[in-house]
Amino acid sequence: MSASPATHREWEQTRLALRRAWLDYLGEGEPRLGDAEYAALLERVRALEEKHPTWRDWDSPATRVEAPDREPFPLRRHGAPMRSLSKLYTVDELREWETSLLRLRPGGKAPEYVCELKFDGLAISIRYEKGKLAGAVTRGDGVTGEDVTRNIKTIRTLPYRIPEPLDLEVTGEVYYTLQAFDAVNAERDAQGEPLFKNPRNAAAGTLRMLDTSEVRQRQLDLFIYGLAMGEEPRTPFGHTSHLATLKWLGELGFPISPEVRACRTLGDVVRYYEGWMGKRARLPYQIDGVVVKVDSLPLHETLGATSKSPRWAAALKFEAEEVSTLLRGVEIGVGRTGVLTPIALLEPVELAGTTVSRATLHNFDQIERLGLKIGDTVTLVKGGEIIPKITGVVLEARKGARLKTITPPKQCPSCGSTPQHTEGEVDYLCVNPRCPAQAAERIRHFVSRHAMDIESLGPVLIEQLLAKGLVESYADLYRLKLEDLTALERMARKSSENVLNAIEASKQCTLPRFLFGMGIHQVGERTAQVLARRFKSLAALRQASVEDLADVNEIGDITAQSIHAFFRDRQQLALIEQCLKAGVTPTFEEVRSGSQPLAGKTAVITGTLSEPRPVWKERLERAGATVTGSVSKRTDFLLVGESPGSKLDAAREHGVKVLNEAEMTALLKAK
C-alpha cells in the first residue's frame, strides 16, 4: 500500500508530538497537551498505522512491545571508551582535583563547571544511526559490554527516533525509581525469591533478563548525561559546552535530568554538593553523590584522560553511612494524632559521627516489607536525614540467632486502649483523646507556630501542666488561671501573665489554624486550608457527610472518612465545645471576587521577616497564590527577608522574581 510523502510526514510528526507530551508528563515541565488533545493524536497515529501496517514497529504508541528472547546477550564494543570517574570523598579532595587541572594548563584560570546528580544505577551507551536507535551496550569493562538493545527499548522515556537523521552515541544511567524498586521487591518476596539489596543491583539484574516482556513490566527508567560520539570531538554538532550539549540532547527528545546546573566557580560546586547532601532523600530515586565536569568541550581534549578516567570530570561521593547492628527490641511511640509508631531498639553503633541506639520503623507494613525480626542484624543508614533508618536485614547473620516475630500492638502503651486499624491504611491508632502520651503531643501541636501559635507555651511548661493535672487536653488551656501558673516551678508572675495573654490572643484565630491545631488524622496544614475554603465555617464542616467531603478537590476517600469520624466522636466534640464556650472564634476570611492579585501564581518565602512567616503565608494564599517550600522553574515570586538561605541562589538561577516585604505588600494592594 503506497502513501504520499505528506501522509508519512504527518505520521512522523504526530509520533514526535506524542513523545514530547509523554516526556512532559514524566518530567517537571508544563504539559503541552490536554488529555483530549493527547487522545486525538494517539488515535490519529493508530488510524494511520492501521492504513499503513508496514509503518508500525515496536515504538508505536499503540504497542511498543517486543517478543521475549531466550538468547544470551552478545558482547559489543563501545563506539568510544566508557571510562569510570575518579572518586572524591571530601571538599578538600575536590579542591585538590581543581589544583591538578590548573597544573595541566599553566597560567590558565580555573574553568567553569557543570554539576549533575550521580545516579545509583547502571551505566550504558546507546547508539543512533541516521536518527534511529541502533544499539545499547552496558559499560562492562569500558571497552566492551553486553548488548541489551532489546531490553533498553522497553524504557518509555527513551526515543526510538530523534527528529534529525544523525549518527551519534549517548551515555546515560538506567535506574529504578524507589516506588518501582519497592514494587519489584514486593513481587519477589511474594514469590519467595531473594530481595534485591538496592535499586542499582535491581536495575543491573533487570536489564540482563532474557524475558523482555518481564523487563517492560518492571518499569526501568533512564537519564542521558553525555554525548560519547558525534562529528568533531572538540565541537560535536557545533557545541563547545557540555551544558549546551545536554540542552540540545533534551531538545532531540532524550531524557535529561532537571537537576543539571552550571557552576561558575568551585564554591558554586560545593554549594550544589552540600545542598543535595541534605535533600537527596526527597528525590524519587537514589543518588550517591554529584558529578563535576569541566563545561568547555575543547578543554576536555586539552586535559585528556588517564587509562581509567577522564581528567575533566570527577564524582564527589556522599559519605558512606551504612552500618550494621543488632535489633534488640521494638517499643511503641504514641504520636499527636494517636499513630502508634514502632521504634527499633538497637545495639549502640557509631553512624555519621553519632552513637545510634534507636531508629524509626515507620509502620508495621514497613517491618513486614523488610522482613524484620527481633534478634536480626540490620543495616542502618542516616543519609541526609536526621533520624536513622533501617534499610534491610543481613540474612547471613540469622543462622543460629534467636529470632522473635514483631507483631502490631494489642493495646496503647500509654493508656491501654485497644488500637484502631482501618483496612487499607498502614497506621494503628490510639483513638482515646485522653491518652496521656497523646495528650502531650496534641497540646504541643495545638500551640505550635503553624496552628494556634501560642509561643509562650513550651514543652517543659506543658509537661508541668500535665504532671500537676492542670490540663488533660488542649481545650483545658483556656481554663488556666494566674494562680495555676505561678504555683509551678520557675513561673514568676510576669511569665505567667505572658502565657495567659498568649492563650487569650489565640482565641481570635482563623479556621484553617484551628482545624490544623485539633490534630485530625489525615489533615495537615494544606488540607485544613482546603476544608476552610470549601465549607467556610466550623459549623458547616461539622455537618458535612462523607460524600460532601470526598467531593472536595484534594480530599480522598480515606481522608474524608477520617474527618467525618472525627466530627462524630463524642470526646472530640466535647473538646471543640469547650474551646468555643471559652471564646475561641475560628473564622474564615472570604476573598472577594476579583481581589486576588496573585491568582494562579506560586510563591516561596525565605529569610527572617518582620512578621511571622505563617502570617505572610496566609496573606499570600488569600491573594490567590500557592505557597510552596522550595524554588523551582515554576516559582513566580520569592519573598525575601533578612539572612536568606539557598532559596535566593535558586531563585536567581531560575530567573524567579525576588521581592522584599515592601514590594510584596505593594503587589498585594494592586487592583
Side-chain angles (χ1 to χ4, degrees):
M1 182 181 296
S2 62
S4 70
T7 305
H8 193 271
R9 278 199 301 274
E10 179 194 356
W11 170 72
E12 289 184 327
Q13 291 170 356
T14 307
R15 284 186 20 147
L16 179 59
L18 281 171
R19 165 152 298 285
R20 286 173 174 164
W22 175 252
L23 289 174
D24 284 343
Y25 170 76
L26 292 171
E28 296 183 352
E30 292 292 338
R32 301 168 192 245
L33 301 178
D35 292 343
E37 294 171 299
Y38 186 91
L41 281 178
L42 184 60
E43 286 306 312
R44 181 58 181 154
V45 170
R46 285 174 171 160
L48 287 169
E49 290 179 352
E50 281 291 325
K51 192 173 181 180
H52 306 282
T54 58
W55 294 355
R56 183 185 293 126
D57 54 32
W58 72 270
D59 195 42
S60 166
T63 53
R64 192 155 188 170
V65 297
E66 185 175 8
D69 195 327
R70 295 298 174 184
E71 294 298 319
F73 298 103
L75 294 179
R76 295 279 187 269
R77 290 181 66 89
H78 297 287
M82 288 188 71
R83 294 183 173 93
S84 59
L85 295 176
S86 300
K87 294 179 177 58
L88 312 174
Y89 294 94
T90 66
V91 172
D92 286 341
E93 289 183 5
L94 176 69
R95 294 191 179 100
E96 291 173 6
W97 173 73
E98 185 182 66
T99 300
S100 71
L101 298 183
L102 296 177
R103 290 196 199 102
L104 294 172
R105 42 189 320 235
K109 66 177 183 178
E112 294 186 0
Y113 303 101
V114 175
C115 281
E116 307 164 13
L117 301 181
K118 187 177 183 301
F119 308 106
D120 203 8
L122 181 72
I124 196 162
S125 69
I126 305 171
R127 188 178 77 260
Y128 284 75
E129 295 176 358
K130 299 190 182 307
K132 184 177 179 180
L133 194 155
V137 181
T138 61
R139 198 183 81 83
D141 63 5
V143 177
T144 60
E146 293 173 287
D147 186 330
V148 291
T149 307
R150 63 184 186 242
N151 282 343
I152 207 72
K153 290 179 180 180
T154 66
I155 300 178
R156 292 297 300 266
T157 51
L158 180 69
Y160 177 55
R161 288 184 178 86
I162 55 178
E164 298 180 34
L166 302 174
D167 295 336
L168 55 82
E169 186 170 314
V170 294
T171 54
E173 195 92 358
V174 177
Y175 69 93
Y176 265 118
T177 64
L178 296 177
Q179 182 179 7
F181 172 70
D182 287 343
V184 168
N185 261 351
E187 182 179 350
R188 292 175 69 84
D189 187 51
Q191 295 175 354
E193 298 177 355
L195 303 185
F196 285 123
K197 183 179 179 181
N198 53 52
R200 180 182 64 255
N201 290 353
T206 299
L207 203 58
R208 293 182 175 95
M209 292 181 68
L210 295 177
D211 188 347
T212 302
S213 61
E214 176 66 18
V215 178
R216 185 181 311 106
Q217 292 176 10
R218 292 195 177 185
Q219 299 180 10
L220 286 168
D221 219 320
L222 170 78
F223 278 128
I224 296 300
Y225 52 64
L227 181 62
M229 285 185 63
E231 297 190 341
E232 168 59 39
R234 289 175 60 86
T235 56
F237 302 105
H239 298 295
T240 60
S241 155
H242 174 64
L243 184 62
T245 303
L246 289 182
K247 290 180 178 178
W248 175 70
L249 290 173
E251 292 168 358
L252 290 178
F254 290 103
I256 307 297
S257 167
E259 310 303 341
V260 175
R261 293 291 182 272
C263 294
R264 297 187 63 185
T265 67
L266 202 67
D268 293 335
V269 173
V270 172
R271 281 186 285 275
Y272 181 92
Y273 168 73
E274 291 177 345
W276 280 109
M277 187 188 298
K279 62 184 180 182
R280 55 179 158 155
R282 304 176 193 173
L283 291 167
Y285 44 80
Q286 283 192 343
I287 61 174
D288 58 359
V290 302
V291 176
V292 188
K293 298 177 181 177
V294 172
D295 189 34
S296 168
L297 297 183
L299 190 51
H300 287 194
E301 190 173 28
T302 300
L303 295 172
T306 67
S307 60
K308 295 182 179 180
S309 306
R311 293 191 178 95
W312 44 264
L316 182 53
K317 301 270 287 185
F318 294 137
E319 240 178 294
E321 296 180 284
E322 182 176 85
V323 297
S324 60
T325 190
L326 184 68
L327 177 60
R328 302 173 63 181
V330 173
E331 69 176 29
I332 305 299
V334 185
R336 64 171 177 83
T337 60
V339 174
L340 303 181
T341 302
I343 299 168
L345 304 179
L346 305 166
E347 188 72 32
V349 62
E350 286 294 317
L351 177 62
T354 60
T355 300
V356 175
S357 59
R358 297 160 67 86
T360 179
L361 291 169
H362 299 291
N363 52 60
F364 287 90
D365 277 17
Q366 172 81 346
I367 290 173
E368 185 176 354
R369 186 180 73 80
L370 293 173
L372 294 180
K373 296 180 184 295
I374 294 173
D376 267 329
T377 297
V378 298
T379 52
L380 193 69
V381 299
K382 206 169 183 180
E385 307 167 52
I386 296 174
I387 302 174
K389 173 184 174 183
I390 290 177
T391 56
V393 177
V394 181
L395 297 177
E396 301 81 18
R398 277 187 167 175
K399 187 176 181 180
R402 290 187 176 183
L403 304 177
K404 182 180 178 182
T405 301
I406 304 169
T407 58
K410 293 185 173 13
Q411 62 181 30
C412 171
S414 178
C415 68
S417 62
T418 302
Q420 181 184 87
H421 179 62
T422 303
E423 187 175 352
E425 292 193 49
V426 298
D427 293 326
Y428 286 77
L429 300 172
C430 171
V431 294
N432 175 16
R434 303 284 180 179
C435 170
Q438 193 177 152
E441 293 299 326
R442 282 184 179 275
I443 295 173
R444 290 192 190 105
H445 176 71
F446 186 79
V447 305
S448 66
R449 186 176 65 174
H450 295 288
M452 301 298 279
D453 197 21
I454 308 176
E455 292 185 0
S456 303
L457 267 170
V460 175
L461 179 54
I462 291 170
E463 291 294 338
Q464 286 192 75
L465 292 172
L466 287 166
K468 296 293 184 181
L470 294 172
V471 299
E472 292 182 351
S473 69
Y474 59 79
D476 292 332
L477 296 173
Y478 295 101
R479 295 179 176 175
L480 289 173
K481 298 180 176 60
L482 184 62
E483 54 268 28
D484 295 330
L485 296 175
T486 54
L488 298 175
E489 185 179 352
R490 297 182 182 178
M491 286 299 292
R493 183 180 183 87
K494 182 60 176 176
S495 300
S496 300
E497 288 175 346
N498 289 340
V499 170
L500 292 177
N501 289 338
I503 293 173
E504 183 66 25
S506 74
K507 292 179 180 180
Q508 304 303 314
C509 62
T510 65
L511 180 57
R513 282 181 175 272
F514 188 63
L515 293 177
F516 179 54
M518 287 190 294
I520 306 170
H521 186 51
Q522 298 280 353
V523 175
E525 193 176 357
R526 171 64 183 170
T527 302
Q529 294 165 350
V530 170
L531 291 170
R533 288 174 182 169
R534 168 63 178 82
F535 294 99
K536 309 296 191 297
S537 70
L538 181 62
L541 178 57
R542 287 171 61 172
Q543 297 303 315
S545 65
V546 174
E547 292 74 19
D548 294 333
L549 293 161
D551 280 342
V552 179
N553 188 32
E554 300 186 42
I555 304 294
D557 290 340
I558 292 176
T559 301
Q561 291 168 9
S562 176
I563 297 166
H564 185 266
F566 181 90
F567 286 113
R568 299 301 176 278
D569 185 283
R570 291 183 179 180
Q571 292 175 310
Q572 300 291 1
L573 290 176
L575 295 177
I576 294 172
E577 289 301 324
Q578 187 177 332
C579 288
L580 297 180
K581 287 180 180 178
V584 177
T585 310
T587 57
F588 177 72
E589 182 179 339
E590 185 69 75
V591 178
R592 297 187 305 276
S593 177
S595 63
Q596 291 188 303
L598 301 186
K601 303 295 184 182
T602 299
V604 175
I605 302 171
T606 187
T608 303
L609 305 169
S610 62
E611 296 179 276
R613 189 170 294 189
V615 172
W616 268 108
K617 188 172 186 291
E618 288 180 9
R619 191 173 294 157
L620 294 174
E621 288 175 340
R622 285 200 302 271
T626 298
V627 181
T628 63
S630 59
V631 174
S632 72
K633 59 186 176 183
R634 297 183 181 182
T635 305
D636 296 290
F637 304 106
L638 177 68
L639 174 59
V640 175
E642 293 181 9
S643 303
S646 60
K647 293 176 184 177
L648 180 58
D649 294 333
R652 289 168 175 161
E653 189 173 301
H654 289 292
V656 173
K657 191 169 185 178
V658 178
L659 302 175
N660 59 31
E661 290 182 87
E663 292 168 331
M664 183 63 81
T665 299
L667 184 61
L668 293 175
K669 291 179 179 178
K671 302 296 182 184

